[in-house]
Every structure is written in C-alpha cells, then in structure tokens.
Amino acid sequence: MATVNSNYLKLKAGYLFPEIARRVNTFAAENPDAKIIRLGIGDVTEPLPLACRQAMMAAIEDMGDRSSFKGYGPEQGYAWLREKIAIHDFQARGCDISADEIFISDGSKCDTGNILDIFGDDNSIAVTDPVYPVYVDTNVMAGHTGDANERGEYAGLVYLPITAENNFTAQIPTEKVDLIYLCFPNNPTGATATREHLTEWVNYALANGSIIFFDAAYEAYITDPSLPRSIYEIDGARDCAIEFRSFSKNAGFTGTRCAFTVFPRTLTAKANDGSDVNLWQLWNRRQSTKFNGVSYIVQRGAEAVYSEDGQAQIKELVRFYLENARIIREQLTLAGLQVYGGVNAPYVWVQTPNGLSSWDFFDKLLHTCNVVGTPGSGFGAAGEGYFRLSAFNSRENVEEAMKRITATFAG
C-alpha cells in the first residue's frame, strides 16, 4: 500500500491563512449583509503598471507570429531580464552581482521552500519568532524538525524572538547555526534592519560557516536612504547569503507570478566528506531539473519595470501603499492602540488591547468592525498578543476600516 510523507502529519491543524478564510467565510455566511474589509493577507489590489501591461500585450503579439514565437525559455530566466535586474537592483547600489547570478522564478514563497532541496538534512536552522510561516512549514515538510510543542514550536529549530524590546530585529544567537532565515523589511512586524545590524549577521555567518536566507520581498518600501535594501550592500555577504526578491509587492505581480533569487557564484557549503561544494551549480541543476521557467509574456512585463515609465509607475504604487500604512498607523495610534511598523514597510504590527489574545482580537475586529487582519500568534509563539494589518487595499477601504476601528476603540 502507498504511504504518505509523515512529516506533513506534524504540521499544525491549519495553515494560518486558510484558518482565517474559514472564520471569515463562516461569519459572512451568517451575516450576508456585512461589508467585510480585508486587511489580512498581503495581496495587492491596484492594477498592474501600464508599462508592464503594454509590454505583456506586445509579448502576446510576439507569440502570434512564427518568427517571434517563444517556446521553452531558459530555466534560469531570459538574459535580457536578468541583466536589467543586475544593473538596476544591485550594481546601481554598489553590489557586486552579475546577471548570471540571478535566477528568475514564479515567486519568493516558492523559492524559500525550494531552496531546501540543495541543503542537507543535518543543518541546524534558525528562524525568527514571529516568522513568515512558510519558512517553518517547508522545513517541517522536508523532515528537518521534530514535533511541535504546545506553543507551536518545532523541535529541531532555533527560534530567535523578535520583540518590542529588541526593536523586532533578531538578535545574534549564542549557539552556532547553519541556516538562518532573515526577512527585512520584516513580515509580519514591519521592522527594518540597519546596516550595522546586517553587518553583525554577515560577520556571524562568515565566522560560523553559516548561510543566510535573506528575504527582501519588501525592499521597495524602504524610503530611508540609510537603510540597506540588499544584504549584498554589506561586505562579505557574497560569501554567506542568498537573497530572495519579488515583483509581487512593488509591481503588483501577485497574480502574474514573477520573482528571482540571487545566488553568488562564490557561495559554498560542505559535502559529507568535508570538501567545499559550489552552491550556484547545485541550484542551477535543481532549477534545470525541476523548473521550466517563467512565461515569456510575464518576463517581458517584469522587464518593463526597469523602463523609465515602469520605474515611475512602480514608485507611485509603492507610495500609494505606504500612504495607506501611514493612515493605518496614525489612526490606530489615535485610537489608543500601541502600534509598530508601517514605516519603510507595508505592514502595521499592533499590540492587542486589554490583554486580548491574538485570535480573540481577530474575532472582535471581524464581528464588531467587519474588518479582517492577521493574528500575530499565527506567525509564532512570540507573536501572541499582537496583530498584523496590511496596507495592501484601496484607499476607500483603508479609510473606512480605520473609521470603524477607531469608533470601536477610541471611546
């Protein structure tokens, strides 16, 4: 008889977002006239930039002509897109990254899970707490953990609490770890990392032979010029870090799917016999074997991000969502709530009032204000007592949601 991957049975009862959907659907069925505003899942709402749409339409026309038709593309991505990324996102900021070190993919979420394919099962792994759940769950699925305890913490993972006391930035562990997940600007807390803080992490990784998985999906929201937007702005990062980026949150590609991972050719890890193995070669082999690449049409749309019009249009999109974040942050503060994040990041991290648990606050907002957010406890044990609100929505919905929440809590 066929058997299952028993690691999946270790996963907690429900992935965070399906559980949110279940509760919201139940409430909506029982209250069909309720006008629910969703500020939970970080999906964008505004249309794709015109430059991207025009490029995609032109690419569709290419596909209708034998002379310009494209079949299978390079698994690593088309050279013309990789070159644009290398020049604009890295070389322009002084980062020593070349086009052949960039791998185009269909999402950072996918890549942060798929990256485990090329690493051994005996690595010690550090994650922040709270944390983007995909980092933890994919390690559970891969068999890198034991069972979860009553707090939802999995044996075999090193948890690094991020709290108000440490400005929601991960402290360097006292023990040696091999793989480290960092996300800045942070999902879910909205915190950012200074150049000095990232330098400490790079120095730690170099000293311990560790690899940093650096999720920079929200780097476009950094407006403070003193803050690094790539870990490769830090000396030595080429020898200890893999960076994940996405077109989802800067250009609205959540529905069209395009992202990329940066793999420096200098990056190595150890084989069982102690010899050094080039990680670029392993990732290249993994992608060539398991991935057929992102569609030509979508990659042409992504390339348009780097045109003059595209740059202006995505900056306007980012400004729009940052203004939403400002409204959320300021209105919740006026309502007497303790608020973090929402500056240089599209997420606002709220301390739940009156000792309410994260899920109790979720239910209160849903039932009283008809507003949906994300319970902090769903991101890890240290997220209990907090709540995430997303700036990814229309201005009308954000303003209406804040009106409802402030009316409930300000009095």
Side-chain angles (χ1 to χ4, degrees), residues 169-396:
T169 56
Q171 293 184 340
I172 305 296
T174 56
E175 59 195 289
K176 179 182 179 298
V177 293
D178 301 310
L179 304 177
I180 304 154
Y181 289 83
L182 296 178
C183 175
F184 291 108
N186 186 253
N187 177 14
T189 69
T192 53
T194 64
R195 190 173 303 275
E196 293 73 22
H197 185 64
L198 285 189
T199 298
E200 291 178 6
W201 271 110
V202 168
N203 290 341
Y204 170 88
L206 292 172
N208 290 279
S210 311
I211 301 292
I212 297 171
F213 297 158
F214 190 74
D215 188 344
Y218 302 96
E219 57 80 27
Y221 291 82
I222 295 176
T223 58
D224 184 341
S226 72
L227 296 175
R229 291 173 63 168
S230 168
I231 198 167
Y232 300 117
E233 295 179 44
I234 309 300
D235 289 342
R238 278 186 57 90
D239 297 320
C240 66
I242 299 165
E243 183 164 304
F244 304 91
R245 290 224 192 168
S246 173
F247 292 99
S248 286
K249 304 303 167 59
N250 64 342
F253 275 52
T254 56
T256 45
R257 311 307 301 143
C258 196
F260 59 92
T261 293
V262 185
F263 242 99
R265 281 184 173 271
T266 52
L267 205 57
T268 63
K270 295 293 183 183
N272 289 338
D273 62 5
S275 61
D276 289 329
V277 177
N278 183 273
L279 290 174
W280 183 97
Q281 293 179 350
L282 296 187
W283 185 247
N284 187 57
R285 178 58 185 270
R286 190 268 171 207
Q287 293 298 85
S288 298
T289 302
K290 291 190 173 185
F291 186 55
N292 264 343
V294 175
S295 80
Y296 169 75
I297 296 165
V298 169
Q299 288 193 63
R300 280 299 187 193
E303 181 193 26
V305 164
Y306 300 100
S307 67
E308 183 176 351
D309 287 345
Q311 286 289 287
Q313 290 161 17
I314 67 167
K315 286 177 182 176
E316 184 57 35
L317 267 182
V318 169
R319 279 194 293 268
F320 176 84
Y321 291 125
L322 280 174
E323 176 64 9
N324 280 353
R326 183 195 66 79
I327 292 169
I328 294 170
R329 188 180 70 251
E330 291 185 357
Q331 289 301 307
L332 294 183
T333 299
L334 288 174
L337 299 174
Q338 181 65 56
V339 178
Y340 305 91
V343 180
N344 297 302
Y347 294 122
V348 177
W349 190 239
V350 186
Q351 187 170 3
T352 58
N354 305 319
L356 288 173
S357 72
S358 295
W359 279 107
D360 285 345
F361 189 64
F362 172 90
D363 288 334
K364 183 174 180 63
L365 281 190
L366 176 61
H367 290 263
T368 305
C369 306
N370 302 160
V371 172
V372 178
T374 312
S377 59
F379 297 102
E384 178 54 69
Y386 290 93
F387 199 79
R388 191 192 76 176
L389 289 173
S390 167
F392 295 119
N393 213 307
S394 69
R395 184 64 44 76
E396 179 183 4

